[in-house]
Amino acid sequence: GENVEQHPSTLSVQEGDSAVIKCTYSDSASNYFPWYKQELGKRPQLIIDIRSNVGEKKDQRIAVTLNKTAKHFSLHITETQPEDSAVYFCAATLDPSYNFGNEKLTFGTGTRLTIIP
Amino acid sequence: NAGVTQTPKFRILKIGQSMTLQCTQDMNHNYMYWYRQDPGMGLKLIYYSVGAGITDKGEVPNGYNVSRSTTEDFPLRLELAAPSQTSVYFCATTQRTNQQPQHFGDGTRLSIL
């Protein structure tokens, strides 16, 4: 099955600086890579996702890059703000046409991001 | 449109008791998932369902059971509660396939004492 590794486990950055979180996946058949943000005591919420037919996607201060050859993808947050403090999870899922019956999402272990005012 | 509703929000159980965590969605989503999240940890998949009448095991199914008799409801049953099942339980849904964003409920915080 798919295995997703996420680094770092904790990250502290000064407000206004950039933050980068990296994930690697094991199965080359994975083709959908979402990122979730979880604030303390709250539910995870999708912030951005990318599919394997594109290399980069951007939404305001957030961007995700994907390197299929190296099997890794990264979350980039620019001009960080205090409200960006949260735990971020990457995830990967296999194309169901290759893995019928394996209809699930594999999550990374999370990165606790702290923005220092 | 409430999205994904989980009940109860909090519960304390004694060792050996049983209970059902409820998850209901009004988005007509086919795929539903149950995760557990231990303190400071990531999400572990317990069970999932790709449609009414179809369920499958995830990463940590032992001690749990599920059923999916309707599109809307996906209850999670704990039999013989153990302290190791103390966790926050999240239900999530996706519309048609695993290739779409998951919508999470607010979670059920469960303590086994």
Side-chain angles (χ1 to χ4, degrees):
Chain A
E2 175 65 281
N3 183 47
V4 176
E5 294 189 358
Q6 184 171 347
H7 299 281
S9 57
T10 60
L11 179 61
S12 295
V13 301
Q14 291 289 141
E15 181 178 353
D17 288 349
S18 295
V20 180
I21 302 170
K22 299 181 179 180
C23 289
T24 61
Y25 60 98
S26 61
D27 199 319
S28 57
S30 288
N31 66 345
Y32 176 63
F33 308 92
W35 285 88
Y36 289 83
K37 175 183 180 182
Q38 187 178 28
E39 297 176 358
L40 189 62
K42 301 286 184 66
R43 59 184 169 180
Q45 291 191 295
L46 180 81
I47 54 171
I48 196 167
D49 57 8
I50 192 168
R51 300 183 189 277
S52 58
N53 57 346
V54 298
E56 184 174 359
K57 184 177 179 180
K58 191 173 182 180
D59 182 4
Q60 299 182 343
R61 297 186 297 108
I62 295 173
V64 57
T65 58
L66 172 65
N67 184 326
K68 287 192 296 181
T69 302
K71 290 189 286 188
H72 68 71
F73 56 111
S74 300
L75 178 71
H76 304 254
I77 306 174
T78 58
E79 300 173 8
T80 53
Q81 301 170 2
E83 54 264 36
D84 295 330
S85 293
V87 177
Y88 292 81
F89 293 97
C90 64
T93 188
L94 299 170
D95 186 334
S97 63
Y98 287 96
N99 293 277
F100 182 76
N102 187 19
E103 315 278 351
K104 54 193 177 187
L105 196 62
T106 301
F107 283 89
T109 50
T111 296
R112 183 174 300 279
L113 175 63
T114 302
I115 306 302
I116 305 167
Chain B
N1 191 341
V4 181
T5 302
Q6 290 185 239
T7 56
K9 294 188 184 305
F10 305 95
R11 184 73 184 268
I12 298 174
L13 281 183
K14 294 183 179 179
I15 295 171
Q17 287 185 322
S18 60
M19 76 164 292
T20 299
L21 281 65
Q22 302 290 347
C23 176
T24 299
Q25 53 104 355
D26 61 0
M27 298 177 287
N28 201 33
H29 285 182
N30 288 327
Y31 285 47
M32 297 187 75
Y33 306 83
W34 274 108
Y35 297 94
R36 60 176 287 174
Q37 186 176 35
D38 297 336
M41 304 295 284
L43 296 158
K44 294 185 178 179
L45 182 65
I46 306 171
Y47 271 96
Y48 65 102
S49 169
V50 300
I54 306 169
T55 63
D56 208 345
K57 296 179 180 179
E59 183 184 356
V60 289
N62 291 342
Y64 306 94
N65 277 300
V66 294
S67 60
R68 184 91 183 272
S69 56
T70 66
T71 299
E72 294 78 21
D73 300 305
F74 190 39
L76 177 71
R77 178 82 176 164
L78 275 73
E79 305 282 2
L80 297 174
S84 61
Q85 293 178 305
T86 293
S87 191
V88 179
Y89 291 83
F90 286 102
C91 177
T93 73
T94 60
Q95 186 173 16
R96 292 193 307 274
T97 76
N98 61 347
Q99 305 273 296
Q100 294 171 311
Q102 294 203 356
H103 299 260
F104 285 83
D106 288 331
T108 294
R109 189 175 298 275
L110 181 63
S111 295
I112 315 295
L113 303 177

